[in-house]
Amino acid sequence: MNAIVALCHFCELHGPRTLFCTEVLHSPLPQGASSGDISGQNEQAEEEEGGIQMSSRIRSHSPAEGASADSSSPGPKKSEMCEASGCRSLAGGHPGYVSHDKETSIKYVSHQHPNHPQLFSIVRQACVRSLSCEVCPGREGPIFFGDEQHGFVFSHTFFIKDSLARGFQRWYSIITIMMDRIYLINSWPFLLGKIRGIIDELQGKALKVFEAEQYGCPQRAQRMNMAFTPFLHQRNGNAARSLTSLTNDENLWACLHTSFAWLLKACGSRLTEKLLEGAPTEDTLVQMEKLADLKEESEGWDGSEEEEKPSSQPDVVEGQELSKCSPETSLMPDCNSWNVAHRRLSVFRSLRHMRQVLGASAFRMLAWHVLMGNQVIWKARDSDLVQSAFDVLRTMLPVGCVRIIPYSDQYEEAYRCNFLGLSPHVQIPSHILSSEFAVLVEVRTATRSSLNPVLFDDEQSLNKYEFVVTSGSPVAADRVGPTILNKIEAALTNQNLSVDVVDQCLVCLKEEWMNKVKVLFKFTKVDSRPKEDTQKLLSILGAAEEDNVKLLKFWMTGLSKTYKSHLMSTVRSPTSSESRN
């Protein structure tokens, strides 16, 4: 995270002062924290917290800012520093702390002040505002302020007990500065919890020191017994003590460096940016609605066991399916005789694969019935094969138009499912077999004379099956068919397109035709336009043909409830023009 975390202090002699700050460096180290390690005198600690592994080293070569002898340093002058180190964190000549993030090659550098003059000015201004005008009620707690020019600041002010201070406490703040306002606001809960933990630890250590000093030499009684002295004289003699003295922790700054470095690392890792290309698709909205429905159903169970449904009502959910296989069936000996690896190959892998297996004319008939919303029935002994066929065919339809019963022991009506898998012995009513609104695919064991020589590849073991596609209304070869079917076949026959590219092509085609469905729904269902206007609209959409109209009407059933309710609420609410009148 490109930000700076700083600890600030309000000195009674010099006003707001920056004590310690940690910044992120993506480039080579600044001059004040460069070069090698001090051997024998310096400490090297390997620390790991929250997934970040840091090697904190005290570097040698240049002194810390604020104690530098260089007149060009952006830090305050020596005359402006408290003699008792109240305005100073690192001792004179101390080079600061550096931590290396081995995962990202980012360095976290801690000094009393930033080296860069512009950053020093930004931190200095944020420090002054956090301890003067930008204060929450009670003077202790979090607050947010800032602007585009000087950055945005998350500030948390707090008090530290000091037995020698006026009011027995001193005022501090921890600030986080960055230029991204939205990111900083979204990080508010995280920063508040972690910074509050750091503050609690500092206050806890200071409270122990305060209680020990009060027990040894109570300052309250001593001050009451002292004669009145002028305020200025009292103020000049009350220089702030260092924070290490108030907490009795000599390793305080090293610990703060570790905490601030981890805070910058963790806060930058918890939020990631994603590129959202437009509004969510209808498929996404339908899936979200179904997940919400399933959640409501699970909450309604209240831990009770779900009652078994009778065999005449197999489980089916729009857009998804639940397999209906009894335990007795799954334990039959012939199921265990299948070779698992061989069965995994006996499935359809893609629409192109299915077209190759069934043949161009049979596939076109099957795809036409799928797109029109007619019932697609597969009869096979291998349920995995049927499931793979439905998984491939459903990619041509919007999610809201898919209702599957993957495998059943009896025929189910078309209103319950448009994809139905049956075992070979199930009898299908004669009126269904002769209906123009259904298509039947029978999977039979192939004779040697009917084996397809194209399928003798080692990766394809479907050559043992013969697929017979029949319907009461076969699609003529010279029939134009819906426009989307012709485009799908063109993509499948184009060998220059990979399977992944064909899948993306299907997504684009479905979204294109779902947009036409939305326009038609708004025009006919919401606005209630006459048939003449509807026909003109279909001509504009390029969907005036009979098959295209049937497809649009079927796909209209797959629109999400969110979209429909949004349209209806828009119509019922007064328009902007009416509200002005």
Side-chain angles (χ1 to χ4, degrees), residues 4-300:
I4 297 178
V5 181
L7 173 66
C8 307
H9 162 59
F10 187 88
C11 177
E12 294 183 359
L13 298 180
H14 306 110
R17 285 289 182 267
T18 304
L19 287 180
F20 192 76
C21 70
T22 303
E23 57 184 311
V24 180
L25 291 183
H26 300 269
S27 57
L29 290 174
Q31 181 181 1
S34 60
S35 298
D37 303 334
I38 299 177
S39 58
Q41 297 179 354
N42 295 339
E43 300 176 358
Q44 179 173 342
E46 292 293 334
E47 302 159 353
E48 185 170 358
E49 181 177 1
I52 173 175
Q53 191 174 24
M54 300 178 292
S55 176
S56 300
R57 298 179 177 88
I58 302 177
R59 299 288 184 174
S60 64
H61 290 274
S62 99
E65 296 80 6
S68 174
D70 187 1
S71 60
S72 63
S73 172
K77 298 179 181 179
K78 187 174 181 180
S79 59
E80 297 178 356
M81 306 291 287
C82 289
E83 296 180 0
S85 302
C87 295
R88 182 186 299 118
S89 57
L90 304 180
H94 196 296
Y97 298 93
V98 179
S99 291
H100 303 267
D101 185 356
K102 298 179 180 179
E103 296 177 356
T104 59
S105 300
I106 293 176
K107 299 177 179 63
Y108 301 89
V109 182
S110 294
H111 298 279
Q112 180 156 353
H113 308 96
N115 248 354
H116 197 281
Q118 186 178 2
L119 290 180
F120 172 82
S121 176
I122 291 175
V123 173
R124 171 65 177 165
Q125 186 183 53
C127 169
V128 172
R129 294 181 66 180
S130 71
L131 292 172
S132 57
C133 56
E134 304 289 353
V135 181
C136 65
R139 300 184 65 193
E140 192 171 21
I143 195 171
F144 177 88
F145 60 88
D147 52 57
E148 296 288 347
Q149 182 179 358
H150 300 96
F152 299 93
V153 183
F154 171 87
S155 172
H156 196 302
T157 53
F158 61 98
F159 291 104
I160 291 290
K161 285 292 185 180
D162 182 3
S163 60
L164 301 181
R166 289 188 304 134
F168 300 103
Q169 59 186 10
R170 298 196 180 274
W171 203 19
Y172 290 83
S173 70
I174 295 179
I175 59 176
T176 303
I177 313 168
M178 66 184 308
M179 302 304 295
D180 193 336
R181 177 177 62 90
I182 301 300
Y183 198 103
L184 188 59
I185 291 176
N186 289 333
S187 302
W188 175 288
F190 175 82
L191 291 173
L192 179 60
K194 302 305 177 183
I195 291 178
R196 185 67 249 180
I198 297 174
I199 293 173
D200 289 342
E201 186 174 356
L202 291 175
Q203 290 177 332
K205 293 179 179 180
L207 182 60
K208 292 180 180 179
V209 175
F210 174 79
E211 291 176 347
E213 292 177 349
Q214 287 292 86
Y215 179 78
C217 182
Q219 291 293 318
R220 188 179 299 275
Q222 183 178 355
R223 293 182 186 184
M224 293 178 64
N225 295 330
M226 290 177 58
F228 175 79
T229 55
F231 173 75
L232 289 179
H233 173 74
Q234 204 175 50
R235 185 170 182 260
N236 291 334
N238 194 20
R241 300 161 64 188
S242 66
L243 191 57
T244 54
S245 174
L246 294 178
T247 58
N248 193 26
D249 187 357
E250 296 296 330
N251 297 321
L252 175 67
W253 305 118
C255 294
L256 280 180
H257 165 76
T258 302
S259 299
F260 287 174
W262 180 86
L263 186 69
L264 291 170
K265 166 68 176 179
C267 191
S269 301
R270 59 180 293 272
L271 294 178
T272 57
E273 294 182 346
K274 285 188 177 181
L275 179 62
L276 298 179
E277 299 179 354
T281 63
E282 280 298 302
D283 285 356
T284 304
L285 292 175
V286 172
Q287 289 171 348
M288 292 171 60
E289 290 172 356
K290 297 190 179 307
L291 288 176
D293 292 342
L294 289 176
K295 184 177 181 180
E296 290 180 1
E297 291 180 4
S298 62
E299 291 176 353

Side-chain angles (χ1 to χ4, degrees), residues 224-484:
M224 293 178 64
N225 295 330
M226 290 177 58
F228 175 79
T229 55
F231 173 75
L232 289 179
H233 173 74
Q234 204 175 50
R235 185 170 182 260
N236 291 334
N238 194 20
R241 300 161 64 188
S242 66
L243 191 57
T244 54
S245 174
L246 294 178
T247 58
N248 193 26
D249 187 357
E250 296 296 330
N251 297 321
L252 175 67
W253 305 118
C255 294
L256 280 180
H257 165 76
T258 302
S259 299
F260 287 174
W262 180 86
L263 186 69
L264 291 170
K265 166 68 176 179
C267 191
S269 301
R270 59 180 293 272
L271 294 178
T272 57
E273 294 182 346
K274 285 188 177 181
L275 179 62
L276 298 179
E277 299 179 354
T281 63
E282 280 298 302
D283 285 356
T284 304
L285 292 175
V286 172
Q287 289 171 348
M288 292 171 60
E289 290 172 356
K290 297 190 179 307
L291 288 176
D293 292 342
L294 289 176
K295 184 177 181 180
E296 290 180 1
E297 291 180 4
S298 62
E299 291 176 353
W301 291 340
D302 294 330
S304 60
E305 296 182 357
E306 184 182 7
E307 298 180 0
E308 288 190 11
K309 296 183 179 181
S311 59
S312 61
Q313 298 290 333
D315 298 328
V316 58
V317 181
E318 185 179 342
Q320 53 186 304
E321 67 282 340
L322 299 172
S323 179
K324 183 194 173 210
C325 295
S326 61
E328 293 80 4
T329 305
S330 62
L331 296 176
M332 291 187 67
D334 59 337
C335 292
N336 295 328
S337 63
W338 285 90
N339 184 283
V340 177
H342 182 67
R343 290 190 66 185
R344 287 179 180 174
L345 294 176
S346 301
V347 294
F348 294 104
R349 299 189 300 273
S350 64
L351 282 174
R352 179 176 289 170
H353 180 212
M354 178 177 287
R355 187 175 186 272
Q356 181 183 10
V357 173
L358 299 183
S361 60
F363 175 80
R364 182 177 176 84
M365 179 193 300
L366 180 62
W368 183 87
H369 283 279
V370 170
L371 293 172
M372 293 296 105
N374 298 335
Q375 190 174 40
V376 178
I377 305 172
W378 280 67
K379 292 183 69 173
R381 193 178 300 275
D382 188 354
S383 60
D384 292 337
L385 175 64
V386 176
Q387 181 67 62
S388 69
F390 291 162
D391 290 340
V392 168
L393 291 173
R394 70 187 298 174
T395 59
M396 293 191 293
L397 293 177
V399 174
C401 295
V402 177
R403 302 183 308 278
I404 298 178
I405 296 180
Y407 210 67
S408 176
D409 292 333
Q410 65 178 15
Y411 172 76
E412 297 296 334
E413 295 294 339
Y415 73 89
R416 300 201 70 242
C417 60
N418 55 340
F419 291 98
L420 175 62
L422 298 176
S423 57
H425 67 274
V426 176
Q427 295 294 325
I428 302 177
S430 58
H431 70 278
I432 298 298
L433 295 175
S434 60
S435 173
E436 61 179 342
F437 302 109
V439 60
L440 173 64
V441 181
E442 293 185 273
V443 183
R444 304 169 181 172
T445 303
T447 60
R448 189 162 189 82
S449 60
S450 63
L451 292 177
N452 191 343
V454 181
L455 301 178
F456 273 106
D457 192 342
D458 291 338
E459 295 183 356
Q460 303 186 27
S461 60
L462 292 177
N463 57 347
K464 64 181 180 179
Y465 295 125
E466 180 182 0
F467 299 89
V468 181
V469 183
T470 58
S471 174
S473 176
V475 180
D478 57 349
R479 187 168 180 174
V480 177
T483 305
I484 189 173

